[in-house]
Amino acid sequence: MTRRQTIICSALSATGILLAFIFFNFIYPYHIHYQEQMQLFRFGADYFRESMAIPGGLGDWIGGFLVQFFYHAPAGSLILAMLLGLIQFLTWKNMEKGSFAAYPLSFLPAIAMFLFYCDENALVTAAVAMAASLTLSSALMNIRRTGFRFSTTILLMPVMYYLFGSISIIVPVVVGIRSAMRKKEMTAILAFSAAAVLMAVLIPFTARSCCPYPLERLIFGIHYHRYHNAIPLMVWTAVLLVPSVLLLAKVMTRDKLAAVSMALVILPAACLTPVFTDIEKERLFGYDFMTRMGQWNKILATSDRHVPDSPIAVECTNLALAKTGHMSSDMFSFFQNGPAGLLPEFTRDHFSPIPTGTVYYHLGMINTAQTFFFEAQEGIPDFQKSARLSQALARTNLLNSDYEVARKYVRALKQTLFYRKWAKETEKLLDNPELIDQVPEYAYLRSVRIKDHDFMFSQEEMDSMLGLLYVENDTNTMAMDYLLAWCLLRKDLPRFFECHKLLKKGYDARHYQEAVILYWALTHDGPDGMPDFITDRTAKSFTRFISRLQAGVDEASMQKEFGNTYWFYYYYRFK
Amino acid sequence: MMKRLSYILMSIMLVCSCYRFDPSAAHFTDGPVWPDYMDITIPAGIAPLNFCYTAEDGPIPVTTFSHGDMTVSIKGREVVWKEKVWKKMLEAAKGGDITVKSSVLPETWTIHVSEDEIDYGINYRLIAPGYEVYSKMGIYERNLSNYKERALIENTQFDGCVNCHAYNRGNPADYSLHIRGSHGATLLNIDGEMAAYSTKTDSTLGLCVYPYWHPEGDYIAYSSNNTRQGFHVLPDKLIEVFDLDSDLQVYDVRNNCLISASSIKKNDVWETFPAFSADGRTLYFCAASPRPIPSETEQIRYNLCSVGFDPATGSIGSRIDTLIFAESIGKSVSFPKPSYDGRFIVYTLSDYGNFSIWHHEADLWILDLATGISRPMDKVNSHDTESYHSWSSNSRWLMFSSRRDDGLYTRPFFTHIDEDGQESKPFMLPQKHPLHYYSYQNRSYNVPEFVTGPVKLDRVSAEKMINSTERIQFGFRMSE
């Protein structure tokens, strides 16, 4: 290549890394955070030993090491972008006498890997394993004596499989193709190919006898995807693309073909990226992240921009409303569709219980929060623990005075990079429990939790539980907000009216007025005796709503005029 | 550049793979050493009982162990034995005492080395002590003479969970292993042949759980339980596990048939936790009168009962005897385990219900079958939960699970039971670095059982069986 061509190629690589960084940091930052919270990478012999106990363990350990930096989305984005850049560079390095025209083709495996990482459950281990395998392939090709190169490759196959998993099959494939391209000793190449195939078959079968995983996982990789039943297709596409581009590069020697190879790269990348990108999920992870960080106003601003229509998004919006004191006045300004958007039922997965557990935590239902956090952690499909959930569980156990159990979580967090400081501070509290009440958050939660009445958590008796929280401590106004919201969302106006009477202040909030006047209209013949906190404005608005309703005005018009009222919800939503 | 990166990576890995003793983790106890191995009785074949001093500062202790002419001194806050030296000392001290002196403690203590042998090892399930969802778990085997642990089966091999594992008096050749989930099955290994069974029949309440082998190996007693969980809201209680219904049945191994009888399948009685007597002619179990749940959960109390069983015909008696009327003292019995010499039954006593592992007040009691006298096992009970237990094949050692250290994570303890049924102070399952191991172990030892030798479970065959849909269906008949 000429100097100019080298500069162009370098610029192309830099652009690729930059675009990947921009994508992950600005379009997919919450996916990055999601990845980080699905693992608990610990510096220590135990964690290292656990990782190394199964094939691909070193790749997994390095992957976990890198993912801990995803705690900061820009760092995570940069790491992912650099890894993809490395894969592209190593693919290029493995091209035999790569030409200027073939250079863009070296992006293809990296693009497949990029698409793989649009999936939130794609594990970084796969990229690490690929980079390691390509590095070794490149190094092996520096061995001049063919026989020695082949025998070393065959000997290293089980080692690479043990360290990086089945992606390491790239090594013999690349060595074989590149050696064939050098057109030397074809008999040796054939013998090498036969030996490599035999090893590729034998290795997973042998691994099976000492590693408790099904054969298909030992073949397709244990650590490449969070769901063990999922075969990571894009990873294997990337693996297949490596030999393909090496072969294609052989024919792409003329500079004029550069445009063709550029098209071969840009077209799939441009067409497939929108297909693989899941913005809805990104928004969902965003809600969860903002809830975790207590960014209540940011949640409300997000919900203002995009109607929150999934239960988790609505649930986080409602929590933000409660935390900012706007639930009773603005709740129905946001999309609501039943009580599942307030306190959803438990589902057996590793994500949805987290925001719900957070709601219970803020309500002071510590045991319930602990259940949800624990179950979410146990539900992580690849059997990892979660640093975020361990932190949450340390808090709930600390609040429950289960200090030794809290210490167990704290001990693990002390071995991490980003939670260590918090863990050390919490350890001081565990050593001196009398200091716990000096932390405002803990003091408040201990004061508002249920202390006298034991009962079993029951989704069906949510109103009783929320009521008891308030009855035991009337400073827990959030419990009352949730109780009344629960009744309103279930359209249980008699219960609402009954509970509303318990309010000592804030009883005249907009939605409460709307619900009371509606209940009054449904159960009384006239306004006589109606509570006097109902303002004229509410009364007039209600009269107008009823007259429009009776006149049969269409739903869209009603929504335009009354969409932010409880009345609209009552008549048009959660049917 | 690549070389430099490799060096950095290697250095990180080296740092990460070094074990470092950290005494600050020793918060489990107020005592001077942990685990508490002072004044205990141990079998000669046990792995070295390494322990650590709980004091973080002060002079480095020197611990001196002596028996007769033999003296071993170990310096350090963590006392770690060389396995060969330990074995030699135990062999020499068999039937006698090892005296232990510490340079930093005023007291001297002894370790009595019993002449009664302990079994080869133990099997247990390791699972996070949680609610409904489970992460990685499996059945593991630990050799008691060293620290080696191996996985017999793990849920990485299939979708589901493993539980209810039982051996016939610790015989590793005969076992029953239950798998729950979409690939649910009961694996039975009989006379070296393993097969997957479907244990639910039209005539029984549900799947067969809580297995207990008949001493002759021809029968397995099971219960079928309609189990539910509830979650408390007060801090000192977390989980309540209870049955909405339960029955017993006996599986005839040779004829592939469940046998039930009206006496153990009553609508107005919940029967659970079956266990055969040493002679195989009595079936012990727990029974309670149904109560509305959840309103009267705390009034459910199980008594210890028995019914006759004829191994020749497989017939179950009609008369139910009550051995422990726990209801009368406001208590509830669970996990009755008769000793194999027919002398005692050890059971768990809690305030109510049958899932005693979640009851902090649960303690072990021993019933002398010769005298009918029942008493709490004061030397083994602690302020926290003692629950599941298992006898060694010679009935001289009892292993039990306890949550005494942190109130949540169950760990196995061993106590020597002499001919009169007197227990010794228990000791915890030894580990090479116990403080480190137990501090970072985030799973509980569940249903620990003795085994007399290594269990021959072909993991690959078991996985194939579990993942296939083929199941041998249990038959059913009523007892004559």
Side-chain angles (χ1 to χ4, degrees), chain A residues 51-74:
Chain A
S51 300
M52 293 301 287
I54 32 184
L58 183 62
D60 192 37
W61 189 88
I62 297 170
F65 174 80
L66 295 174
V67 169
Q68 68 180 328
F69 295 98
F70 287 27
Y71 187 83
H72 298 293

PDB file of all heavy atoms in Angstrom, chain A residues 51-74:
ATOM      1  N   SER A  51     -13.868 -18.724  37.796  1.00  0.00           N
ATOM      2  CA  SER A  51     -13.924 -18.423  36.364  1.00  0.00           C
ATOM      3  C   SER A  51     -13.151 -19.461  35.574  1.00  0.00           C
ATOM      4  O   SER A  51     -13.593 -19.911  34.516  1.00  0.00           O
ATOM      5  CB  SER A  51     -13.329 -17.033  36.081  1.00  0.00           C
ATOM      6  OG  SER A  51     -14.044 -16.054  36.780  1.00  0.00           O
ATOM      7  N   MET A  52     -11.994 -19.839  36.097  1.00  0.00           N
ATOM      8  CA  MET A  52     -11.114 -20.733  35.347  1.00  0.00           C
ATOM      9  C   MET A  52     -11.574 -22.185  35.398  1.00  0.00           C
ATOM     10  O   MET A  52     -10.972 -23.041  34.742  1.00  0.00           O
ATOM     11  CB  MET A  52      -9.684 -20.626  35.895  1.00  0.00           C
ATOM     12  CG  MET A  52      -9.027 -19.284  35.663  1.00  0.00           C
ATOM     13  SD  MET A  52      -8.903 -18.828  33.929  1.00  0.00           S
ATOM     14  CE  MET A  52      -7.624 -19.929  33.373  1.00  0.00           C
ATOM     15  N   ALA A  53     -12.620 -22.452  36.172  1.00  0.00           N
ATOM     16  CA  ALA A  53     -13.037 -23.851  36.342  1.00  0.00           C
ATOM     17  C   ALA A  53     -13.733 -24.404  35.110  1.00  0.00           C
ATOM     18  O   ALA A  53     -13.910 -25.610  34.991  1.00  0.00           O
ATOM     19  CB  ALA A  53     -13.953 -23.975  37.554  1.00  0.00           C
ATOM     20  N   ILE A  54     -14.134 -23.549  34.207  1.00  0.00           N
ATOM     21  CA  ILE A  54     -14.842 -24.043  33.020  1.00  0.00           C
ATOM     22  C   ILE A  54     -14.216 -23.507  31.731  1.00  0.00           C
ATOM     23  O   ILE A  54     -13.557 -22.458  31.744  1.00  0.00           O
ATOM     24  CB  ILE A  54     -16.353 -23.683  33.056  1.00  0.00           C
ATOM     25  CG1 ILE A  54     -16.572 -22.379  33.769  1.00  0.00           C
ATOM     26  CG2 ILE A  54     -17.200 -24.783  33.582  1.00  0.00           C
ATOM     27  CD1 ILE A  54     -18.010 -22.013  33.920  1.00  0.00           C
ATOM     28  N   PRO A  55     -14.414 -24.229  30.622  1.00  0.00           N
ATOM     29  CA  PRO A  55     -13.799 -23.788  29.369  1.00  0.00           C
ATOM     30  C   PRO A  55     -14.184 -22.350  29.019  1.00  0.00           C
ATOM     31  O   PRO A  55     -15.340 -21.959  29.175  1.00  0.00           O
ATOM     32  CB  PRO A  55     -14.374 -24.760  28.330  1.00  0.00           C
ATOM     33  CG  PRO A  55     -14.767 -25.958  29.101  1.00  0.00           C
ATOM     34  CD  PRO A  55     -15.181 -25.472  30.453  1.00  0.00           C
ATOM     35  N   GLY A  56     -13.224 -21.603  28.587  1.00  0.00           N
ATOM     36  CA  GLY A  56     -13.473 -20.200  28.245  1.00  0.00           C
ATOM     37  C   GLY A  56     -13.336 -19.296  29.449  1.00  0.00           C
ATOM     38  O   GLY A  56     -13.673 -18.114  29.394  1.00  0.00           O
ATOM     39  N   GLY A  57     -12.833 -19.863  30.541  1.00  0.00           N
ATOM     40  CA  GLY A  57     -12.793 -19.134  31.809  1.00  0.00           C
ATOM     41  C   GLY A  57     -11.940 -17.877  31.779  1.00  0.00           C
ATOM     42  O   GLY A  57     -12.329 -16.853  32.344  1.00  0.00           O
ATOM     43  N   LEU A  58     -10.804 -17.942  31.113  1.00  0.00           N
ATOM     44  CA  LEU A  58      -9.939 -16.756  31.102  1.00  0.00           C
ATOM     45  C   LEU A  58     -10.612 -15.631  30.312  1.00  0.00           C
ATOM     46  O   LEU A  58     -10.585 -14.467  30.724  1.00  0.00           O
ATOM     47  CB  LEU A  58      -8.570 -17.087  30.501  1.00  0.00           C
ATOM     48  CG  LEU A  58      -7.584 -15.927  30.514  1.00  0.00           C
ATOM     49  CD1 LEU A  58      -7.269 -15.485  31.937  1.00  0.00           C
ATOM     50  CD2 LEU A  58      -6.287 -16.283  29.798  1.00  0.00           C
ATOM     51  N   GLY A  59     -11.215 -16.003  29.191  1.00  0.00           N
ATOM     52  CA  GLY A  59     -11.952 -15.009  28.398  1.00  0.00           C
ATOM     53  C   GLY A  59     -13.053 -14.382  29.226  1.00  0.00           C
ATOM     54  O   GLY A  59     -13.282 -13.170  29.190  1.00  0.00           O
ATOM     55  N   ASP A  60     -13.720 -15.220  29.997  1.00  0.00           N
ATOM     56  CA  ASP A  60     -14.802 -14.736  30.848  1.00  0.00           C
ATOM     57  C   ASP A  60     -14.263 -13.798  31.928  1.00  0.00           C
ATOM     58  O   ASP A  60     -14.851 -12.765  32.234  1.00  0.00           O
ATOM     59  CB  ASP A  60     -15.507 -15.935  31.487  1.00  0.00           C
ATOM     60  CG  ASP A  60     -16.803 -15.540  32.144  1.00  0.00           C
ATOM     61  OD1 ASP A  60     -17.499 -14.671  31.596  1.00  0.00           O
ATOM     62  OD2 ASP A  60     -17.122 -16.089  33.208  1.00  0.00           O
ATOM     63  N   TRP A  61     -13.132 -14.193  32.500  1.00  0.00           N
ATOM     64  CA  TRP A  61     -12.529 -13.374  33.561  1.00  0.00           C
ATOM     65  C   TRP A  61     -12.115 -12.005  32.995  1.00  0.00           C
ATOM     66  O   TRP A  61     -12.403 -10.966  33.596  1.00  0.00           O
ATOM     67  CB  TRP A  61     -11.319 -14.115  34.149  1.00  0.00           C
ATOM     68  CG  TRP A  61     -10.764 -13.468  35.370  1.00  0.00           C
ATOM     69  CD1 TRP A  61     -11.157 -13.675  36.659  1.00  0.00           C
ATOM     70  CD2 TRP A  61      -9.722 -12.488  35.424  1.00  0.00           C
ATOM     71  NE1 TRP A  61     -10.422 -12.900  37.511  1.00  0.00           N
ATOM     72  CE2 TRP A  61      -9.536 -12.154  36.783  1.00  0.00           C
ATOM     73  CE3 TRP A  61      -8.942 -11.869  34.464  1.00  0.00           C
ATOM     74  CZ2 TRP A  61      -8.599 -11.229  37.204  1.00  0.00           C
ATOM     75  CZ3 TRP A  61      -7.991 -10.942  34.873  1.00  0.00           C
ATOM     76  CH2 TRP A  61      -7.825 -10.627  36.234  1.00  0.00           C
ATOM     77  N   ILE A  62     -11.467 -12.018  31.829  1.00  0.00           N
ATOM     78  CA  ILE A  62     -11.044 -10.745  31.225  1.00  0.00           C
ATOM     79  C   ILE A  62     -12.277  -9.933  30.835  1.00  0.00           C
ATOM     80  O   ILE A  62     -12.338  -8.718  31.056  1.00  0.00           O
ATOM     81  CB  ILE A  62     -10.129 -10.990  29.995  1.00  0.00           C
ATOM     82  CG1 ILE A  62      -8.852 -11.704  30.437  1.00  0.00           C
ATOM     83  CG2 ILE A  62      -9.789  -9.681  29.294  1.00  0.00           C
ATOM     84  CD1 ILE A  62      -7.974 -12.210  29.290  1.00  0.00           C
ATOM     85  N   GLY A  63     -13.285 -10.623  30.282  1.00  0.00           N
ATOM     86  CA  GLY A  63     -14.536  -9.945  29.921  1.00  0.00           C
ATOM     87  C   GLY A  63     -15.151  -9.268  31.134  1.00  0.00           C
ATOM     88  O   GLY A  63     -15.551  -8.098  31.091  1.00  0.00           O
ATOM     89  N   GLY A  64     -15.224 -10.014  32.241  1.00  0.00           N
ATOM     90  CA  GLY A  64     -15.777  -9.452  33.475  1.00  0.00           C
ATOM     91  C   GLY A  64     -14.961  -8.277  33.976  1.00  0.00           C
ATOM     92  O   GLY A  64     -15.495  -7.269  34.444  1.00  0.00           O
ATOM     93  N   PHE A  65     -13.638  -8.422  33.872  1.00  0.00           N
ATOM     94  CA  PHE A  65     -12.739  -7.339  34.286  1.00  0.00           C
ATOM     95  C   PHE A  65     -13.059  -6.059  33.504  1.00  0.00           C
ATOM     96  O   PHE A  65     -13.138  -4.971  34.079  1.00  0.00           O
ATOM     97  CB  PHE A  65     -11.284  -7.768  34.041  1.00  0.00           C
ATOM     98  CG  PHE A  65     -10.277  -6.691  34.291  1.00  0.00           C
ATOM     99  CD1 PHE A  65      -9.870  -6.388  35.581  1.00  0.00           C
ATOM    100  CD2 PHE A  65      -9.740  -5.951  33.233  1.00  0.00           C
ATOM    101  CE1 PHE A  65      -8.948  -5.380  35.815  1.00  0.00           C
ATOM    102  CE2 PHE A  65      -8.819  -4.947  33.456  1.00  0.00           C
ATOM    103  CZ  PHE A  65      -8.415  -4.657  34.756  1.00  0.00           C
ATOM    104  N   LEU A  66     -13.278  -6.213  32.201  1.00  0.00           N
ATOM    105  CA  LEU A  66     -13.565  -5.037  31.363  1.00  0.00           C
ATOM    106  C   LEU A  66     -14.960  -4.477  31.647  1.00  0.00           C
ATOM    107  O   LEU A  66     -15.150  -3.259  31.711  1.00  0.00           O
ATOM    108  CB  LEU A  66     -13.442  -5.411  29.877  1.00  0.00           C
ATOM    109  CG  LEU A  66     -12.035  -5.810  29.407  1.00  0.00           C
ATOM    110  CD1 LEU A  66     -12.076  -6.287  27.967  1.00  0.00           C
ATOM    111  CD2 LEU A  66     -11.066  -4.636  29.552  1.00  0.00           C
ATOM    112  N   VAL A  67     -15.912  -5.376  31.842  1.00  0.00           N
ATOM    113  CA  VAL A  67     -17.299  -4.925  32.020  1.00  0.00           C
ATOM    114  C   VAL A  67     -17.476  -4.130  33.322  1.00  0.00           C
ATOM    115  O   VAL A  67     -18.360  -3.284  33.412  1.00  0.00           O
ATOM    116  CB  VAL A  67     -18.271  -6.133  31.941  1.00  0.00           C
ATOM    117  CG1 VAL A  67     -19.673  -5.755  32.384  1.00  0.00           C
ATOM    118  CG2 VAL A  67     -18.325  -6.659  30.510  1.00  0.00           C
ATOM    119  N   GLN A  68     -16.628  -4.360  34.317  1.00  0.00           N
ATOM    120  CA  GLN A  68     -16.781  -3.571  35.542  1.00  0.00           C
ATOM    121  C   GLN A  68     -16.636  -2.068  35.254  1.00  0.00           C
ATOM    122  O   GLN A  68     -17.232  -1.239  35.936  1.00  0.00           O
ATOM    123  CB  GLN A  68     -15.805  -4.025  36.608  1.00  0.00           C
ATOM    124  CG  GLN A  68     -14.357  -3.730  36.291  1.00  0.00           C
ATOM    125  CD  GLN A  68     -13.409  -4.204  37.366  1.00  0.00           C
ATOM    126  OE1 GLN A  68     -13.751  -4.215  38.535  1.00  0.00           O
ATOM    127  NE2 GLN A  68     -12.229  -4.623  36.965  1.00  0.00           N
ATOM    128  N   PHE A  69     -15.876  -1.738  34.204  1.00  0.00           N
ATOM    129  CA  PHE A  69     -15.707  -0.322  33.862  1.00  0.00           C
ATOM    130  C   PHE A  69     -16.957   0.259  33.184  1.00  0.00           C
ATOM    131  O   PHE A  69     -17.045   1.461  32.974  1.00  0.00           O
ATOM    132  CB  PHE A  69     -14.483  -0.131  32.950  1.00  0.00           C
ATOM    133  CG  PHE A  69     -13.193  -0.470  33.629  1.00  0.00           C
ATOM    134  CD1 PHE A  69     -12.596  -1.710  33.456  1.00  0.00           C
ATOM    135  CD2 PHE A  69     -12.591   0.436  34.496  1.00  0.00           C
ATOM    136  CE1 PHE A  69     -11.416  -2.048  34.110  1.00  0.00           C
ATOM    137  CE2 PHE A  69     -11.409   0.121  35.159  1.00  0.00           C
ATOM    138  CZ  PHE A  69     -10.821  -1.125  34.966  1.00  0.00           C
ATOM    139  N   PHE A  70     -17.907  -0.618  32.836  1.00  0.00           N
ATOM    140  CA  PHE A  70     -19.158  -0.155  32.237  1.00  0.00           C
ATOM    141  C   PHE A  70     -19.994   0.624  33.258  1.00  0.00           C
ATOM    142  O   PHE A  70     -21.054   1.136  32.942  1.00  0.00           O
ATOM    143  CB  PHE A  70     -19.973  -1.342  31.703  1.00  0.00           C
ATOM    144  CG  PHE A  70     -19.422  -1.965  30.440  1.00  0.00           C
ATOM    145  CD1 PHE A  70     -18.074  -1.895  30.134  1.00  0.00           C
ATOM    146  CD2 PHE A  70     -20.248  -2.634  29.555  1.00  0.00           C
ATOM    147  CE1 PHE A  70     -17.559  -2.484  28.978  1.00  0.00           C
ATOM    148  CE2 PHE A  70     -19.758  -3.206  28.401  1.00  0.00           C
ATOM    149  CZ  PHE A  70     -18.416  -3.133  28.115  1.00  0.00           C
ATOM    150  N   TYR A  71     -19.518   0.643  34.484  1.00  0.00           N
ATOM    151  CA  TYR A  71     -20.148   1.452  35.534  1.00  0.00           C
ATOM    152  C   TYR A  71     -20.266   2.893  35.041  1.00  0.00           C
ATOM    153  O   TYR A  71     -21.212   3.607  35.358  1.00  0.00           O
ATOM    154  CB  TYR A  71     -19.279   1.387  36.791  1.00  0.00           C
ATOM    155  CG  TYR A  71     -19.864   2.028  38.010  1.00  0.00           C
ATOM    156  CD1 TYR A  71     -20.765   1.347  38.814  1.00  0.00           C
ATOM    157  CD2 TYR A  71     -19.519   3.327  38.368  1.00  0.00           C
ATOM    158  CE1 TYR A  71     -21.305   1.932  39.943  1.00  0.00           C
ATOM    159  CE2 TYR A  71     -20.051   3.923  39.500  1.00  0.00           C
ATOM    160  CZ  TYR A  71     -20.945   3.217  40.284  1.00  0.00           C
ATOM    161  OH  TYR A  71     -21.478   3.818  41.395  1.00  0.00           O
ATOM    162  N   HIS A  72     -19.264   3.306  34.272  1.00  0.00           N
ATOM    163  CA  HIS A  72     -19.321   4.613  33.604  1.00  0.00           C
ATOM    164  C   HIS A  72     -19.554   4.340  32.121  1.00  0.00           C
ATOM    165  O   HIS A  72     -18.707   3.733  31.457  1.00  0.00           O
ATOM    166  CB  HIS A  72     -18.010   5.380  33.796  1.00  0.00           C
ATOM    167  CG  HIS A  72     -17.712   5.669  35.241  1.00  0.00           C
ATOM    168  ND1 HIS A  72     -18.487   6.525  36.004  1.00  0.00           N
ATOM    169  CD2 HIS A  72     -16.752   5.183  36.063  1.00  0.00           C
ATOM    170  CE1 HIS A  72     -17.999   6.577  37.229  1.00  0.00           C
ATOM    171  NE2 HIS A  72     -16.960   5.770  37.296  1.00  0.00           N
ATOM    172  N   ALA A  73     -20.685   4.799  31.614  1.00  0.00           N
ATOM    173  CA  ALA A  73     -21.049   4.479  30.225  1.00  0.00           C
ATOM    174  C   ALA A  73     -19.973   4.894  29.214  1.00  0.00           C
ATOM    175  O   ALA A  73     -19.678   4.112  28.297  1.00  0.00           O
ATOM    176  CB  ALA A  73     -22.393   5.108  29.887  1.00  0.00           C
ATOM    177  N   PRO A  74     -19.350   6.069  29.334  1.00  0.00           N
ATOM    178  CA  PRO A  74     -18.316   6.417  28.345  1.00  0.00           C
ATOM    179  C   PRO A  74     -17.149   5.429  28.356  1.00  0.00           C
ATOM    180  O   PRO A  74     -16.639   5.054  27.303  1.00  0.00           O
ATOM    181  CB  PRO A  74     -17.856   7.810  28.781  1.00  0.00           C
ATOM    182  CG  PRO A  74     -19.005   8.360  29.562  1.00  0.00           C
ATOM    183  CD  PRO A  74     -19.616   7.193  30.249  1.00  0.00           C
TER     184      PRO A  74
END
